[in-house]
Amino acid sequence: LSLYQLDDPRLMQEADDFIRQSTDPHERAQANLLKAESLFKQKKYAEAGPIYARLGETDLTDALKTKALYKLGWCQAQTADYAGAIRTYTQYIEKNPGSPTLPSAITQRGLAYQQNKEYDAALKDFDLIIDTHEKAPERELALQQKALVLGQQNDYKGMTATFTKLLEAYPKTSAGGQANFWIGWAA
């Protein structure tokens, strides 16, 4: 843990040495989690993802497995494995219906659908955030992305209405320039 907190480059070797020597499955799983977290922190998603995937089959606590599942989806999305990210986020959403990170998982799945050109599914996720998670910070992003998807589908009226809703709900949004551009373009 100290090596992790210090971002010490020796962490990976020390964790691997520990895993080779330890006979306790729980301790081995915790060491693998530290490795995955370290790689994730370094944005080495392609390396962290497979470790997170294996952690679901260990005796880690449910809370740690849940965290690993969410981060696995993130790793998959960052490495352009959108179909994998969709499956993982769907699994996460089904297992964690009351989680405070649920809006984030739904939004991330919507973004993965969008990248995978599954626009109808993306719109469903964005609408779910917009309509049922009005206080979630992800709602702003969901409005922006919904508008962009509608634009990709040549639904310029819907795009304009959604960007207008974004500007009304979030007058200081960082997407304001983009929203105004596309509203003007559509007009």
Side-chain angles (χ1 to χ4, degrees):
L1 286 171
S2 296
L3 293 173
Y4 174 79
Q5 291 297 329
L6 294 170
D7 292 323
D8 192 309
R10 295 176 297 162
L11 170 66
M12 300 307 267
Q13 184 60 49
E14 291 291 330
D16 285 338
D17 290 346
F18 178 82
I19 291 166
R20 275 193 295 280
Q21 296 172 8
S22 176
T23 57
D24 184 318
H26 185 70
E27 289 177 352
R28 292 169 57 101
Q30 288 178 317
N32 273 307
L33 178 60
L34 272 177
K35 284 177 57 175
E37 291 290 295
S38 178
L39 292 166
F40 188 90
K41 190 170 25 171
Q42 297 172 54
K43 299 183 178 178
K44 294 182 178 179
Y45 303 117
E47 295 174 49
I51 299 172
Y52 282 126
R54 288 190 302 272
L55 290 173
E57 301 164 8
T58 65
D59 71 345
L60 284 176
T61 65
D62 287 342
L64 290 176
K65 285 181 183 180
T66 297
K67 181 179 180 180
L69 185 62
Y70 182 88
K71 288 196 173 176
L72 171 60
W74 187 273
C75 290
Q76 291 166 321
Q78 295 302 309
T79 58
D81 178 8
Y82 302 117
I86 291 164
R87 283 190 304 276
T88 299
Y89 282 124
T90 298
Q91 185 180 0
Y92 180 90
I93 291 162
E94 290 171 353
K95 287 183 175 184
N96 301 286
S99 169
T101 58
L102 185 64
S104 178
I106 294 168
T107 302
Q108 291 303 317
R109 184 178 68 179
L111 292 169
Y113 276 131
Q114 184 179 9
Q115 290 296 320
N116 217 35
K117 300 191 183 334
E118 296 179 51
Y119 298 127
D120 291 339
L123 288 172
K124 284 181 186 176
D125 277 353
F126 296 145
D127 281 336
L128 181 60
I129 296 300
I130 293 164
D131 297 337
T132 62
H133 297 279
E134 292 185 12
K135 301 287 187 210
E138 293 82 5
R139 186 171 184 265
E140 181 179 349
L141 177 62
L143 281 163
Q144 177 193 18
Q145 295 306 311
K146 177 183 178 180
L148 292 172
V149 168
L150 292 170
Q152 288 175 308
Q153 294 181 320
N154 299 323
D155 180 355
Y156 303 125
K157 184 177 177 181
M159 176 188 73
T160 299
T162 305
F163 270 135
T164 300
K165 186 175 183 177
L166 170 68
L167 292 171
E168 289 169 356
Y170 305 94
K172 295 183 181 189
T173 181
S174 62
Q178 181 184 51
N180 284 312
F181 172 82
W182 287 111
I183 290 169
W185 181 89

